[in-house]
Amino acid sequence: MTFLRSVVGKLWITIILLVSFVLFILTVMLLEFFQNHNLVETRKELTRTAEKIAGVFENHTNEELPVALEIAWEIIDDVTKVVVVKNNNEVYYSPNTENKQKLSKEYIQSDPELSKVFSENMAVEKISNLSSNNKEHGSNYLIIGVPMDLPGNESGAVFIYQSLEVMQETSRETTKFILLVAGVAIILTTIFAFFLSTRITAPLRKMREAAFEVARGKFDTKVPILTHDEIGELATAFNQMGRQLKFNMNALSQEKEQLSSILSSMADGVITFNRDGTILVTNPPADRFLQYWYYEKGDMDSNLEGLPSQVMELFQKAVDTEKEQAGEISLQGRHWVILVSPLYSNKFIRGAVAVLRDMTEERRLEKMRKDFIANVSHELRTPISMLQGYSEAIVDDIAESQEEKKEMAKVIYDESLRMGRLVNELLDLARMEAGHIQLKLEDVNLTSFISRIIHKFQGLAKDNGIQLRTEMENDLPAFWMDPDRIEQVLTNLIDNAIRHTPPDGSVTLKVTLEDKGLRMEVKDSGSGIPEEDLPFIFERFYKADKARTRGRSGTGLGLAIAKNIIDAHHGSINVHSKLGHGTTFSFLIPRKS
């Protein structure tokens, strides 16, 4: 059945049916033609033979009758019978005539058609079974009667007849021969048709195999061009199609890879939707946004296709109005701005694309800017108010004695120093955060360096009743660092420790040399820092509870500056504290690479 459904089978069957139909019509027509032709030729031949025999008898006298009969019997063949009627008394039959095949004189004279030979002196023809009763079964004979004029003005006739079975046998032989020829023709046609269809369809089969290879992605497949006819042109067109298809697929692949690279490298999230809201394409930032959404829903199944209601509302508006829609959404403490634009396929909307920009850092920076302005204003307002108040007191002569005026002037001087220190620290911090810090690195003798710093704070510690100690290994080697900047860090840390440590407390500076680098720790036994304040301790202007601070308050910039100095040394700084148990600041400076 597979063969019959193939092109070879269909073409082969078509040729066979067409040739068979033509041979069938031709065979029927030939059989009909030969049958009629055989009957006509037999009539003509019998008529000519009868006329010859009649002529023989007309040319011989009664004395020559035996010779005439001998000549007549020589003219006829074995299947042809002859009756010669000279008169009512003389009737001669051919020697090959059997009794049951005799055409009697009585039958001739009684038959209306055969008797016309005598009555009307004309040639007659009839098909009969030689029986007076035509209903009797027997072989039919073709009877030809020819009149003859005998010497002595006698009238006679020659009747020649032949069985139709002889003609039918000839027709059967002819039919067998024609059918044999037709059979041989069909067999030859079958072989030729199969060969022809195979030759024609061989390139088609190759093209079918090549098409399957192309469908599997092998675009380099080529069809051999075996002929220069329409099939050869088809093979050429197929090869050109394969090359063009490969070029287009490579172009699409490059565009897809380029688009994928662009989407992956984008800082903004991109989500592409279908018309029904199904997610088609996402990039890593968009995946993080979806993970935040799933986490907030309490389901981390990444196969979910749900989206926040705000996003779906923007998507629906963009599809309905065919205009861009913008909105904001907050998830897990992060903020996104969403822009949804419709996607078109010709003139119809096929979906939408959403661009999500994480604005958390911008919002944080904006808040920091506002907090910075508020903190600077707050820090400057107090000294400015004191400067204004004390200066007005001096101008208005509120201070009566010289000592009071000096005291007011000292307050004004201290507040001006505080304002100067605040401005200088702000400038230093701005330069550090901008990357403009200049480190003067050198080999520093750690023993003398630490001793100088401890000596600087001994007086302050003694005045506050605090024990200042150092823990340091003997004979430490020199270390590569900026001594002024590290002294600034230690000064800030030790000053903070003394200010936050109650009397009879202790502040310890520990210096150790590790494999990774130089580690310094400033540990105090003060009030400690609340746990909720620890993540913000290195931010600008951040201060713990001022109630725990003894004496003058700092600017809130010292730890931020310290962190920038340690970062400039490619080191790290951290803090450990527990409320009521003191605080430990430690930083690590890596060795010189």
Side-chain angles (χ1 to χ4, degrees), residues 233-457:
E233 294 176 356
L234 179 61
T236 303
F238 183 89
N239 293 335
Q240 292 177 350
M241 180 193 70
R243 288 193 296 270
Q244 188 65 34
L245 186 60
K246 181 181 179 182
F247 175 79
N248 292 336
M249 291 301 294
N250 289 336
L252 288 175
S253 178
Q254 291 177 359
E255 290 184 5
K256 183 178 179 181
E257 291 176 357
Q258 183 178 2
L259 179 60
S260 177
S261 300
I262 293 174
L263 288 176
S264 299
S265 60
M266 286 180 63
D268 296 337
V270 177
I271 302 177
T272 304
F273 301 94
N274 204 347
R275 175 78 185 192
D276 57 1
T278 305
I279 297 176
L280 298 178
V281 178
T282 60
N283 66 341
D287 292 336
R288 288 193 293 270
F289 169 79
L290 295 176
Q291 290 298 327
Y292 281 120
W293 163 244
Y294 299 146
Y295 183 80
E296 185 161 296
K297 288 181 62 178
D299 193 343
M300 290 300 294
D301 186 5
S302 60
N303 293 324
L304 291 175
E305 296 184 358
L307 283 172
S309 58
Q310 298 95 317
V311 179
M312 294 309 297
E313 289 175 2
L314 293 174
F315 164 75
Q316 198 61 46
K317 287 181 181 179
V319 172
D320 294 339
T321 63
E322 299 186 8
K323 295 181 180 178
E324 281 187 351
Q325 302 294 327
E328 294 188 14
I329 186 173
S330 297
L331 294 173
Q332 297 293 310
R334 303 192 71 84
H335 306 277
W336 281 273
V337 173
I338 303 174
L339 182 66
V340 181
S341 303
L343 289 176
Y344 290 90
S345 177
N346 294 329
K347 296 182 179 180
F348 301 98
I349 293 180
R350 63 180 180 86
V353 58
V355 179
L356 303 96
R357 174 163 293 180
D358 190 348
M359 301 294 292
T360 305
E361 188 64 21
E362 285 78 359
R363 297 291 171 82
R364 189 183 70 83
L365 293 175
E366 179 66 19
K367 184 177 182 302
M368 288 179 62
R369 185 184 65 82
K370 293 179 180 179
D371 292 345
F372 175 77
I373 295 173
N375 289 329
V376 170
S377 300
H378 176 74
E379 292 293 335
L380 291 177
R381 182 174 57 190
T382 300
I384 290 175
S385 298
M386 296 184 70
L387 288 173
Q388 183 179 357
Y390 281 102
S391 61
E392 287 178 355
I394 294 174
V395 171
D396 295 339
D397 291 331
I398 296 176
E400 297 179 353
S401 64
Q402 192 69 25
E403 288 79 7
E404 289 179 350
K405 291 181 179 180
K406 287 183 178 181
E407 185 178 351
M408 291 181 181
K410 186 176 185 305
V411 172
I412 294 174
Y413 177 72
D414 291 340
E415 293 301 324
S416 65
L417 291 178
R418 180 183 174 191
M419 290 178 61
R421 186 169 62 253
L422 176 61
V423 172
N424 290 331
E425 289 182 352
L426 282 174
L427 291 175
D428 287 344
L429 185 59
R431 283 194 295 267
M432 291 178 184
E433 291 183 346
H436 296 157
I437 183 173
Q438 296 291 332
L439 297 180
K440 298 179 180 179
L441 300 174
E442 58 182 69
D443 285 326
V444 179
N445 188 310
L446 294 178
T447 303
S448 59
F449 175 74
I450 298 300
S451 298
R452 185 177 72 252
I453 293 175
I454 293 297
H455 181 72
K456 182 171 64 174
F457 283 98

Side-chain angles (χ1 to χ4, degrees), residues 477-495:
F479 196 83
W480 186 260
M481 62 183 182
D482 186 338
D484 294 335
R485 293 297 185 180
I486 298 302
E487 181 177 353
Q488 186 178 357
V489 173
L490 290 174
T491 298
N492 183 273
L493 295 179
I494 295 174
D495 182 68

Side-chain angles (χ1 to χ4, degrees), residues 53-80:
I53 294 173
V56 170
F57 280 95
E58 288 175 354
N59 295 326
H60 291 77
T61 60
N62 290 333
E63 290 78 11
E64 297 174 339
L65 180 60
V67 176
L69 290 174
E70 185 176 356
I71 294 173
W73 306 148
E74 290 292 335
I75 293 174
I76 63 174
D77 53 21
D78 295 336
V79 296
T80 303

